[in-house]
Amino acid sequence: MVKVTVWNENRHEQQNQIVSGLYPNGIHGIISEFLQVEGFDVRTATLDEPEHGLTDEVLINTDVLIWWGHLAHDEVQDEIVEKVKQRVLEGMGLIVLHSGHFSKIFKSLMGTSCDLKWREAGEKERLWIVNPGHPITAGIPEYLELEQEEMYGEHFDIPQPEELIFISWFEGGEVFRSGCTYTRGNGKVFYFRPGHETYPTYHNKQIQRVIINAVKWAAPAHCQRPIYGYSNPLEPLKGGTTK
Amino acid sequence: MVKVTVWNENRHEQQNQIVSGLYPNGIHGIISEFLQVEGFDVRTATLDEPEHGLTDEVLINTDVLIWWGHLAHDEVQDEIVEKVKQRVLEGMGLIVLHSGHFSKIFKSLMGTSCDLKWREAGEKERLWIVNPGHPITAGIPEYLELEQEEMYGEHFDIPQPEELIFISWFEGGEVFRSGCTYTRGNGKVFYFRPGHETYPTYHNKQIQRVIINAVKWAAPAHCQRPIYGYSNPLEPLKGGTTK
Amino acid sequence: MVKVTVWNENRHEQQNQIVSGLYPNGIHGIISEFLQVEGFDVRTATLDEPEHGLTDEVLINTDVLIWWGHLAHDEVQDEIVEKVKQRVLEGMGLIVLHSGHFSKIFKSLMGTSCDLKWREAGEKERLWIVNPGHPITAGIPEYLELEQEEMYGEHFDIPQPEELIFISWFEGGEVFRSGCTYTRGNGKVFYFRPGHETYPTYHNKQIQRVIINAVKWAAPAHCQRPIYGYSNPLEPLKGGTTK
Amino acid sequence: MVKVTVWNENRHEQQNQIVSGLYPNGIHGIISEFLQVEGFDVRTATLDEPEHGLTDEVLINTDVLIWWGHLAHDEVQDEIVEKVKQRVLEGMGLIVLHSGHFSKIFKSLMGTSCDLKWREAGEKERLWIVNPGHPITAGIPEYLELEQEEMYGEHFDIPQPEELIFISWFEGGEVFRSGCTYTRGNGKVFYFRPGHETYPTYHNKQIQRVIINAVKWAAPAHCQRPIYGYSNPLEPLKGGTTK
């Protein structure tokens, strides 16, 4: 059974009644609920817990980590970010949602600014599938529609995705690479754009389906890391081995 | 005219007579010499200069930065690394040589450990071209041979290259992705494996040709960065713009 | 000087007064004109010429071939398509425009159906740059706008582009991967979406700029093909060479 | 249960006692045997059967097709190749083994010559994993060794793989991209180099493991094809829909 940890900053939920109205158990709460229904072994972790809830014991027992953050990226300790990164390189899957594009962990794995255009105007977003056989799109029709979302627009300053899964159309005239996969070390990374805190995006069944699919996709096939460092020759050398 | 800065740690040259014998003007010296012959506008910079020779003025006047480091990656100040990274995102080309795989700037742009297998046994390396139409391979036959080189072996912990140009065969039985391109922001990055300090690799005319080609390839086509941040709609929104 | 051949089906121009009004010298005429102004060595070729104007002598003297076709893809002889394909593998650049997505040469190089959604309703298209440092985008602002174009929508059944340069937003709610690069053998391929025959798209200076940039990008760096077939060992074999 | 069809040319087995000694039930026989043990629903098909054993009924009931051919690529009927290709675009996985690099189906899906260097000298091959977290490598150590294999060397004239999984080292001095993945339409394609008919390669448990893993990986997540062709606007057009 895939072990999932849903990490959430959990600040908007404390500060904004719209958000707490939409997500009374927090964004981590709703995500963990629909993942549990699907049969995953789910726990949650939030910023204000000790070690942000991401102790060594939690990380070693996590196959896939989901990340939602926005207001307080800077409050995430560098030491924890580094541990999460090492765990991704070992094979833990990472799913970064929406404003997590600016999280320390995502920027560190991408190597770019991860900046973008944005606008909060409650406009329509339509996410088109551009990789129709990909397992992350299973059960999704040709496009998803969200009546109200925050706009994120290109240029999105990320390395070219290994696989581009979704492209968003926005009512206001922009486009966005909304579903992007990467490999880092043994780990798989999926960025998925939707999920602004003041809209009911995570109640949408198709959005839930994409996240469920992504958990299955990101779960490690195997976590055996290669051996690095000094290595004896496997074949005889003409000059002999001098070291 | 493309403006190139050749950065070298320049430590082995002070400590090891084999290295200073091979490269009396330093590794930066020989590289800048063959680049000047080719007509580039070249300067050098080294670790022990103030700001490692990479002042704002130098960086803004650099189209392509070449990086060689090994012993003292940790002595490179984080603040300078960050400036170099910003300049890459703005469009400056970056060519990372050999042991520079473990430099702060390369690891920061890749997002992975950049670890690998290695062995210093003076063995034969043969670099095969796997992208024969790529401008970086112009003038190079199907493969390059180096009679003596340090071995670097897979797994090389890098993101999948956007373009894989060379694969090395080593006498001792390993292979390596030896020529790899990436885009980060507006900037192009090329990693090129050969160049251990105790061998005459940078005297090899074909190695020089690859580096010359790479400088031309990495030179920015244009450095205009996109506009990021809040953005007004380009089309009327049904609900009006609420922000 | 880069030698360009602009190939056009040249049928709409004979049949439709709107098209002949917009392009009195044909679509090949206007493209060759703005390329000549840029200093390229340009010739044209059309379907109804012998061998469709693509004789061995023409092909061997072409660095970059531009392809526009729509009504008569099936009338292009398989033998000529095969010659063009061999020339691409040898290093000739190929720029496929708009409805050329369904040309025999493009489908043959892609290996997929190259199918898509379409609608001819004179709607607005906005092409966003998603690869801002790419030479094909030099001199272009963040997006191009075309007041009236045919819509092409996803899913576009192509292999994942090696580089995705433009994504289109359409007024009617669709998106499209409008600028895509590929390598096939030694040759570079660029697909560029806009250019429906009943709109003045090729009069647009920014569209012209993209095509000019693409010609420079697609021109072969060098056309030396690798050696294929039986190959003697470069290193001694323990068992000896038995063939 | 994944439905696998193992297709084999099955000619060497009729003509060469070394081959029939190694594979008394044919190459298709041994592959189907170890796949059955793994629990897949397996059938075989060979060149000399009517429609090469690939009737519409067989294809529609195949999730993953494995392809081994060598002597008689030209005898495979174009009509059957076209049916296989359509089925791949619909989502059927395709695993192409060894000399299948020159099969009509592989060349048609790649769009290139698929040519390479080769030598039959019974030399050592070592396949290094360069994508350690990929499911195709599950259960495989850092490299596989085959004491005797035919050599295939670069340049291998294929489009750049979407994922490069294995790189081979050969005793005679060459390297090869030996495990390559592609997406074509909804279908996944995996090319795997080893498997010359006169060596016991398919008896090797690790080679079997790679093929088993590849079947799981290539099995379609879902086969729903996108809708292509004329499409009504999803949003109101300013000018109205004119077609």
Side-chain angles (χ1 to χ4, degrees), chain B residues 40-108:
Chain B
F40 297 115
D41 178 4
V42 189
R43 72 173 89 197
T44 64
T46 55
L47 179 63
D48 292 330
E49 296 174 50
E51 301 183 52
H52 313 317
L54 298 172
T55 60
D56 292 353
E57 193 270 340
V58 166
L59 285 174
I60 206 71
N61 284 296
T62 299
D63 295 318
V64 179
L65 178 65
I66 297 180
W67 194 276
W68 199 103
H70 183 211
L71 292 175
H73 293 314
D74 285 349
E75 295 181 39
V76 180
Q77 299 167 50
D78 289 343
E79 187 189 338
I80 303 296
V81 173
E82 185 56 29
K83 284 183 182 181
V84 171
K85 183 170 177 175
Q86 290 310 314
R87 186 72 186 118
V88 170
L89 298 181
E90 283 169 26
M92 181 181 72
L94 178 68
I95 298 172
V96 175
L97 297 174
H98 189 62
S99 44
H101 74 91
F102 255 173
S103 62
K104 288 180 178 176
I105 181 61
F106 190 62
K107 290 196 291 185
S108 169

Side-chain angles (χ1 to χ4, degrees), chain D residues 123-136:
Chain D
E123 71 202 89
K124 187 188 284 185
E125 175 179 13
R126 183 179 292 113
L127 295 99
W128 286 93
I129 293 176
V130 298
N131 192 326
H134 199 282
I136 287 180

